Amino acid sequence: MAEIEDAEVFDARRTSFGAYATTYDAVRPEWPTATVYWMLGSPTTGAVCRVVDLGAGTGKGARAIATLGHEVIALEPSDGMREALATSLGA
C-alpha cells in the first residue's frame, strides 16, 4: 500500500508546476548563451549536437539550445508544461 501512495505522491510532485506553466515561463530567466555553450561541452563552431532535454518544462532550455543551431528532443511529463512548450514553439 505504501508503494502505491509513494507513486501517487511522486506523480503529483513531478507534474506540480503544470497548472502554473504560463507564470513559470514568464518569471524564469532565459538561459545565458555562455552557459548553454559550456553545458554542451563548448562544441566547435559549426558542430551540431543532438541534445535530449529531459524534464524540458516550458522549453526555455530547449529554445536556448536550438537557437545556437543544435537539435533538441524535449521531453516533459507535465501536461501543462508541455502545452506551454508547444505554444512557445508555435506548435
Side-chain angles (χ1 to χ4, degrees), residues 16-51:
S16 63
F17 286 101
Y20 309 99
T22 302
T23 300
Y24 179 90
D25 194 58
V27 300
R28 294 286 298 180
E30 298 298 327
W31 288 30
T33 299
T35 299
V36 176
Y37 183 73
W38 172 85
M39 182 181 69
L40 296 176
S42 304
T44 58
T45 302
V48 177
C49 297
R50 179 177 290 165
V51 179

Side-chain angles (χ1 to χ4, degrees), residues 4-82:
I4 293 172
E5 290 173 2
D6 289 345
E8 290 172 355
V9 169
F10 175 76
D11 192 53
R13 287 181 180 164
R14 74 182 178 90
T15 60
S16 63
F17 286 101
Y20 309 99
T22 302
T23 300
Y24 179 90
D25 194 58
V27 300
R28 294 286 298 180
E30 298 298 327
W31 288 30
T33 299
T35 299
V36 176
Y37 183 73
W38 172 85
M39 182 181 69
L40 296 176
S42 304
T44 58
T45 302
V48 177
C49 297
R50 179 177 290 165
V51 179
V52 175
D53 187 355
L54 188 58
T58 60
K60 284 199 179 256
R63 291 190 305 270
I65 295 165
T67 297
L68 294 176
H70 302 291
E71 180 182 340
V72 183
I73 300 166
L75 303 170
E76 174 53 50
S78 168
D79 292 340
M81 295 293 253
R82 199 170 46 254

